[in-house]
Every structure is written in C-alpha cells, then in structure tokens.
Amino acid sequence: MTETTAPTEPLTEHRLDRYVRFWNAGTEQEQRELAAATFTDGVEYRAEIGVLSGAQALMDFRNRFVAHMGTAALRLRERPQIHHQRARLRWQILTEDGDGAPFATGTDVIHLDEDGRITSVTAFLDRAPAGFAPGAHH
C-alpha cells in the first residue's frame, strides 16, 4: 500500500465551502472563478440525472435548474466528514416557492486530489423531489 499525503483539513474544508458557494453563485463570473479554484479540469459529476464532465457541464446543469425552479440554495445539513482525500457532504436544496421544507436532500461523496481540488462527485438523493422519476433522466 502506498501512502499519500492528504490535504490538511482546513484547506479541504475551504475547498468544500467553495463547492457549496459554486452551487449558490449568483453570476456566471462568480461560478467560473469558484469552478477554477475548486475543481480539476476533468471533474466528473455522477448523479441520478446522468454523468457530467467538466466544470462547464456543472455550470450548465445548475443554471438550467435555477432557470426552471427559480431561486434555489444548496445548504449543508451538517459539517462535512473528511478523510483520505474523500469528503461526504449532506445537503438540502431550498427553493423560494417552497413551504419551508427542502425541495430535496442528498449526500455528495467527493474525491479530492493531492492539492485539495475536487476530481469527482457522486451525488445520492436521500429524499428526492416530489414527482422525481430516476429512470426518466438516463
């Protein structure tokens, strides 16, 4: 087994904070700056909706979601768990037209490179949105 040097926890938490800020960015310029600081060039995002490659694909996905849903905010449900260049983030999405209940909740499993940049995200829905049909997105 080879030993790798994991990024220090404060650096990793800072990267994870940027990840949350990326999903909540208000402008394309802010998204691009956060993406460049947070993700590797070939970041891969795997979720029920499919597999996305690259920061631009993540930006497009987020922007289509907001265009369809209106204002939406990703919020952490608890402090991230971090070890061995992996992190687990439990989140909820809140929308402006909601009744105060989250639109959806989920868990992202994130892989970080040796510099603490995100190389991949696997997103799981803990509680899917009402009417969500997983098979419809493949």
Side-chain angles (χ1 to χ4, degrees), residues 75-78 88-92 106-108 126:
R75 299 283 185 254
L76 295 184
R77 295 186 285 158
E78 61 187 44
R88 180 170 73 168
L89 278 75
R90 296 171 55 85
W91 49 261
Q92 61 185 346
T107 301
D108 286 356
D126 298 336

Side-chain angles (χ1 to χ4, degrees), residues 2 8 11 13 18 32 48 52 57 71 82 87 90 102 116 121 124 126-127 134-135:
T2 59
T8 62
L11 172 62
E13 285 191 24
R18 285 183 181 171
R32 288 194 186 290
E48 290 275 349
L52 307 174
T71 301
I82 305 164
R90 296 171 55 85
V121 178
F124 295 90
D126 298 336
R127 188 183 61 73

Side-chain angles (χ1 to χ4, degrees), residues 19-112:
Y19 175 74
V20 173
R21 289 176 33 220
F22 167 82
W23 289 112
N24 294 321
T27 67
E28 184 177 338
Q29 179 63 30
E30 184 181 7
Q31 279 181 323
R32 288 194 186 290
E33 290 170 6
L34 288 164
T38 305
F39 302 117
T40 59
D41 290 338
V43 64
E44 184 177 87
Y45 182 87
R46 293 179 171 269
E48 290 275 349
I49 54 93
V51 178
L52 307 174
S53 296
Q56 185 63 52
L58 273 69
M59 289 173 46
D60 293 344
F61 169 64
R62 190 261 181 200
N63 293 335
R64 282 191 310 269
F65 179 83
V66 171
H68 178 71
M69 293 299 300
T71 301
L74 181 91
R75 299 283 185 254
L76 295 184
R77 295 186 285 158
E78 61 187 44
R79 186 174 178 187
Q81 295 174 318
I82 305 164
H83 67 81
H84 297 95
Q85 293 178 268
R86 303 288 191 279
R88 180 170 73 168
L89 278 75
R90 296 171 55 85
W91 49 261
Q92 61 185 346
I93 297 174
L94 305 172
T95 57
E96 70 179 15
D97 61 346
D99 58 3
F103 171 77
T105 63
T107 301
D108 286 356
V109 178
I110 295 174
H111 181 253
L112 303 125

